[in-house]
Amino acid sequence: MSLSIKQIRDNTVRARHLMQRSRSQKFAVGAFNIDNQETLIAVAKAAQKLQSPVLIEVSHGEVEAMGLDNIRDLVDNYKAEYGIEMYINLDHSPSVEAAKRGIDAGFEFIHIDISQANHEATLEEITVKTKEVVEYAAFTGALVEAEERYFMGSSNLHTETIDYEEVKKYNTTPEEALSFVQATGIDTIAVQIGNLHGLYPVPKELDLELLQRLRDAVACQISLHGGSGTPLHYFEDAAKIGVSKININSDMRYAFRKTLEKVLADNHDEYAVVKLMPEVYGAVQKVVEEKINAFGSAGKAVN
């Protein structure tokens, strides 16, 4: 059931208040990708148990599989059932048109990522299209997030080690961040400080000194993508420095698949899928709870 414009605007006002609270109270909000209803249940249960605000996020593939309006309804239903503070982020939207559809559907957070569809997109193209989304989002008040260049990695299990010299080439500089924020008017900038999408055989290393310089350079919110596989102490420090949003996907997918494989192996004669899933989303819930505690958002929900 579609939300009214008033309901959408009320939700985005609360979302903006959450981002303001995260800055003043020095915590980060977890943005957790979902692939299906089970992962949504896992996030909702973790949020309820720890009284933490959360973002449910979906990228283009999940939107195509589930549908924008269906995602909106599912999140609203579980938000009401569990009595939690929960919002939706459209993650890595590859085009202006796709981002606008997310805004129209009432998503409170919109990540426009022109370089996702075209890794060679110029800064000028990215800036112009990002600014168009920012102007369109003003109608509902949705918060717009973007980055000035392609973000490394993919949300999968990688077998190669991390080439840190290559990663450093993509790191965001304070000068670039400030220029991009001023040119586009975005609410949140996704920075690269050693973070990259996916899980790797080695843990990720974040440049917290660079993060502090970025925090000093821009007034808007800062987001960290590629949070999976990162030692938790980095998250604790990042939240204190002033990161407001951290994305988690691959850690959840890994827990889901590995647990599902185990459950299927242990239950050869069970064909009622609904009976197999509680252990699976229970494992994902543990991942979400671990991140929430590291982000410092436990007990920060406002219903």
Side-chain angles (χ1 to χ4, degrees):
M1 184 171 61
S2 298
L3 299 177
S4 69
I5 293 300
K6 183 181 185 304
Q7 288 173 315
I8 293 172
R9 287 175 175 166
D10 287 346
N11 286 343
T12 59
V13 167
R14 284 192 285 270
R16 288 180 177 275
H17 288 167
L18 170 60
M19 291 293 98
Q20 292 168 3
R21 297 199 321 267
S22 73
R23 290 282 294 280
S24 64
Q25 299 177 29
K26 301 294 185 182
F27 68 89
V29 181
F32 300 101
N33 281 80
I34 65 166
D35 290 295
N36 49 36
Q37 188 170 348
E38 284 73 28
T39 46
L40 173 57
I41 291 170
V43 178
K45 284 180 172 290
Q48 182 188 55
K49 178 180 176 180
L50 298 180
Q51 287 298 292
S52 171
V54 292
L55 272 60
I56 294 296
E57 59 182 18
V58 287
S59 56
H60 191 63
E62 289 81 49
V63 168
E64 287 189 323
M66 302 171 70
L68 285 169
D69 291 334
N70 292 332
I71 294 164
R72 176 79 266 175
D73 289 343
L74 276 169
V75 170
D76 286 342
N77 289 343
Y78 280 102
K79 182 169 103 173
E81 179 180 344
Y82 285 85
I84 54 181
E85 184 179 10
M86 185 160 64
Y87 306 93
I88 310 179
N89 177 49
L90 185 60
D91 191 31
H92 292 286
S93 183
S95 69
V96 171
E97 294 70 28
K100 287 180 176 179
R101 287 193 290 271
I103 293 167
D104 291 341
F107 285 25
E108 296 87 4
F109 294 82
I110 302 291
H111 174 209
I112 176 66
D113 185 6
I114 298 303
S115 64
Q116 177 77 1
N118 176 16
H119 296 178
E120 305 302 321
T122 65
L123 177 58
E124 180 181 7
E125 179 186 358
I126 294 171
T127 300
V128 168
K129 291 184 176 180
T130 299
K131 188 175 181 180
E132 183 178 348
V133 174
V134 170
E135 292 171 351
Y136 191 86
F139 182 67
T140 66
L143 291 92
V144 179
E145 174 182 348
E147 59 270 74
E148 83 289 356
R149 64 163 71 96
Y150 171 63
F151 206 104
M152 293 187 68
S154 63
S155 298
N156 213 328
L157 185 62
H158 295 260
T159 57
E160 72 274 19
T161 58
I162 299 172
D163 183 348
Y164 285 107
E165 292 307 311
E166 183 67 17
V167 170
K168 288 177 182 178
K169 296 177 184 178
Y170 289 83
N171 278 355
T172 311
T173 71
E175 296 77 18
E176 290 170 331
L178 178 59
S179 177
F180 187 64
V181 170
Q182 290 177 335
T184 58
I186 54 174
D187 300 284
T188 305
I189 183 166
V191 301
Q192 299 188 64
I193 57 168
N195 47 318
L196 65 162
H197 292 118
L199 274 174
Y200 292 81
V202 295
K204 296 170 186 175
E205 298 176 5
L206 304 187
D207 187 341
L208 295 176
E209 187 274 332
L210 174 57
L211 176 60
Q212 182 64 67
R213 290 194 288 121
L214 290 163
R215 178 70 284 163
D216 294 340
V218 298
C220 71
Q221 315 300 336
I222 291 177
S223 169
L224 289 181
H225 284 245
S228 294
T230 305
L232 298 180
H233 69 86
Y234 283 116
F235 296 143
E236 296 167 359
D237 291 338
K240 293 173 184 175
I241 290 171
V243 166
S244 292
K245 170 179 165 287
I246 301 175
N247 290 26
I248 300 294
N249 188 357
S250 299
D251 278 339
M252 297 166 64
R253 286 179 170 177
Y254 183 83
F256 188 103
R257 174 162 176 161
K258 288 300 181 181
T259 307
L260 179 58
E261 290 173 351
K262 175 184 177 298
V263 170
L264 290 173
D266 292 345
N267 296 273
H268 291 289
D269 298 325
E270 182 58 74
Y271 291 87
V273 175
V274 69
K275 295 180 181 179
L276 301 172
M277 297 316 295
E279 185 176 345
V280 176
Y281 61 68
V284 178
Q285 180 182 342
K286 290 180 181 178
V287 172
V288 176
E289 289 178 10
E290 176 187 68
K291 307 304 183 188
I292 285 173
N293 284 322
F295 300 163
S297 64
K300 304 295 185 181
V302 174
N303 299 326

